């Protein structure tokens, strides 16, 4: 039994196979309309969501299965009456597949350790693997073969999406340059950078962390940013973070330093005037809605794979 907890655990071949399957599912969804017949996906949420919640439910329903949305706030676990292990052992008796969006990554690992069914990480404070599978599918669609491309990530880099981009890009040969403040609280975790650097060495990709936003984006094929106010960041930190990250806002001026045909990506939700200028996300280089759509196709591929239907 396989889980999707982190792209760190998935090989280059496994990631590429998911991207290929995601393309096949996107091209001919009718070929998969019965693939999940009578399969039940339970979706556990501790945090808000639009894309993850709706794309997973739509995805399994389009393949003949069903989904249950389970709000963790209403659980015996949240009431302090049950352990994660007991909860997941019970869910394993009802459902075929589990997707969870949690705060703590260690809770995701605990969940997977006791699960008798495959578990998909729908985001933790630490990473967001489903997002990055959809992102790689999008990049390949727009830019062709991944190996040798360069992605620049700007902004809050002590971030789940950044960590998954580091794992994912380095494994498939995409050079990744992270531009972020020098403060460790805004930088990717050193252990992730070390893992990505080693994976990149094997795949021919370079991993760079810089504090100069212009250096990060120079000539890049993809410019990527994410919220400065991730779901787990307290609102009280907003003013201080806006000040800290503003030099890394993807402005039209910074975007102009990337390759002339560069694409702009944001996993969404996005705030105009913060992590990017409105003219960038609403401009011709932005592919954010194709990126959001690919969550549906990439996650169908993940579900098919984890249930042995690939
Ligand atoms: N990108 C993403 O995961 O969006 P949601 O938070 O809306 O699920
Ligand atoms: N980094 C963001 C991603 C949202 C999909 C967050 O954790 O809120």
């Amino acid at each position: 039994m396989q889980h999707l907890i982190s792209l760190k655990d998935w090989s280059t071949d496994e990631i590429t196979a998911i991207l290929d399957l995601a393309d096949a599912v996107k091209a001919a969804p009718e070929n998969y309309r019965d693939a999940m017949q009578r399969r039940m996906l339970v979706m556990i949420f501790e945090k808000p969501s639009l894309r993850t919640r709706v794309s997973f439910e739509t995805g399994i329903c389009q393949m003949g299965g069903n989904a249950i949305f389970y709000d963790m706030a209403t659980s015996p676990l949240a009431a302090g009456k049950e352990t994660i292990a007991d909860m997941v052992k019970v869910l394993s008796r009802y459902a075929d597949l589990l997707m969870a969006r949690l705060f703590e990554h260690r809770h995701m690992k605990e969940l997977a350790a006791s699960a008798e069914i495959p578990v998909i990480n729908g985001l933790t404070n630490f990473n967001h693997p489903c997002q990055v599978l959809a992102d790689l599918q999008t990049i390949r669609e727009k830019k062709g073969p991944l190996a040798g491309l360069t992605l620049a990530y700007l902004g809050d880099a002590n971030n789940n999406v950044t960590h998954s981009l580091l794992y994912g890009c380095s494994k498939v040969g995409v050079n990744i340059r992270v531009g972020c403040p020098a403060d460790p609280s805004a930088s990717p975790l050193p252990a992730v950078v070390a893992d990505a650097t080693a994976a990149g060495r094997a795949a021919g990709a370079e991993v760079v962390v810089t504090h100069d936003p212009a250096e990060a984006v120079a000539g890049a094929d993809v410019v990527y940013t994410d919220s400065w106010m991730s779901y787990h960041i307290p609102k009280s930190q907003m003013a201080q973070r806006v000040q800290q990250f503003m030099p890394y806002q993807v402005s039209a001026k910074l975007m102009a330093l990337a390759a002339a045909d560069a694409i702009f990506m944001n996993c969404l939700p996005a705030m105009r005037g913060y992590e990017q200028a409105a003219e960038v996300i609403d401009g011709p280089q932005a592919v954010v809605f194709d990126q959001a759509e690919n969550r549906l196709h990439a996650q169908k591929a993940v579900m098919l794979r984890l249930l042995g239907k690939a």
Side-chain angles (χ1 to χ4, degrees):
M1 188 177 69
Q2 196 182 10
H3 304 296
L4 175 56
I5 304 302
S6 170
L7 292 180
K8 182 184 173 187
D9 312 326
W10 281 37
S11 70
T12 301
D13 287 348
E14 285 170 326
I15 293 172
T16 305
I18 287 291
L19 302 182
D20 292 344
L21 182 57
D23 286 349
V25 167
K26 184 173 184 174
E30 63 279 7
N31 291 349
Y32 301 87
R33 70 175 168 218
D34 299 321
M36 289 285 168
Q37 237 173 20
R38 292 182 300 282
R39 298 297 164 152
M40 182 59 79
L41 167 71
V42 171
M43 310 186 296
I44 301 175
F45 282 90
E46 272 185 347
K47 301 187 191 189
S49 173
L50 171 70
R51 282 141 288 267
T52 304
R53 193 244 154 113
V54 179
S55 60
F56 264 105
E57 184 160 348
T58 302
I60 191 137
C61 289
Q62 286 182 353
M63 296 192 291
N66 277 293
I68 293 174
F69 170 79
Y70 190 69
D71 179 1
M72 195 70 129
T74 65
S75 67
L77 177 75
K81 296 190 180 299
E82 197 162 52
T83 63
I84 290 182
D86 285 357
M87 174 177 170
V88 73
K89 282 178 193 162
V90 170
L91 288 173
S92 298
R93 302 295 175 99
Y94 302 144
D96 301 287
L97 201 51
L98 198 59
M99 190 276 292
R101 166 165 288 194
L102 304 178
F103 286 95
E104 300 299 332
H105 193 70
R106 67 191 156 85
H107 290 162
M108 184 69 67
K109 285 183 161 170
E110 226 178 301
L111 207 91
S114 297
E116 291 153 21
I117 55 176
V119 176
I120 301 170
N121 176 356
L123 179 149
T124 63
N125 296 359
F126 171 61
N127 70 357
H128 196 1
C130 294
Q131 180 65 52
V132 169
L133 291 172
D135 296 342
L136 293 173
Q137 182 186 14
T138 309
I139 296 168
R140 207 167 70 159
E141 255 172 26
K142 305 287 178 192
K143 296 270 138 215
L146 292 171
L149 294 173
T150 296
L151 179 145
Y153 176 94
L154 285 191
D156 175 17
N158 187 254
N159 169 290
N160 39 24
V161 172
T162 319
H163 291 147
S164 290
L165 282 169
L166 280 161
Y167 288 136
C169 288
S170 61
K171 288 195 179 192
V172 297
V174 173
N175 303 304
I176 174 164
R177 293 195 219 124
V178 177
C180 61
D183 188 333
S185 73
S187 306
L189 288 173
V192 178
V193 176
D195 285 339
T197 303
R201 211 170 285 133
E206 204 187 1
V207 176
V208 173
V209 179
T210 170
H211 309 304
D212 176 358
E215 183 194 339
V217 297
D221 302 294
V222 180
V223 178
Y224 197 122
T225 189
D226 183 16
S227 174
W228 297 342
M229 290 298 296
S230 284
Y231 295 125
H232 62 284
I233 309 284
K235 285 200 171 60
S236 58
Q237 291 183 16
M238 179 140 175
Q240 172 258 317
R241 290 174 73 87
V242 168
Q243 197 181 16
Q244 181 182 30
F245 292 120
M246 197 50 90
Y248 301 88
Q249 180 191 72
V250 182
S251 60
K253 206 169 138 200
L254 272 179
M255 200 63 207
L257 300 178
D261 61 352
I263 54 172
F264 170 76
M265 300 178 77
N266 183 325
C267 59
L268 306 180
M271 285 177 70
R272 289 162 177 78
Y274 292 87
E275 71 271 15
Q276 71 280 291
E279 60 187 319
V280 171
I281 192 166
D282 297 323
Q285 288 169 286
V287 299
V288 295
F289 298 113
D290 295 327
Q291 182 185 1
E293 178 190 327
N294 282 340
R295 294 292 303 278
L296 175 68
H297 310 300
Q299 290 160 191
K300 280 181 171 177
V302 169
M303 292 191 279
L304 288 164
R305 159 97 195 206
L306 295 186
L307 287 185
K309 308 220 174 257

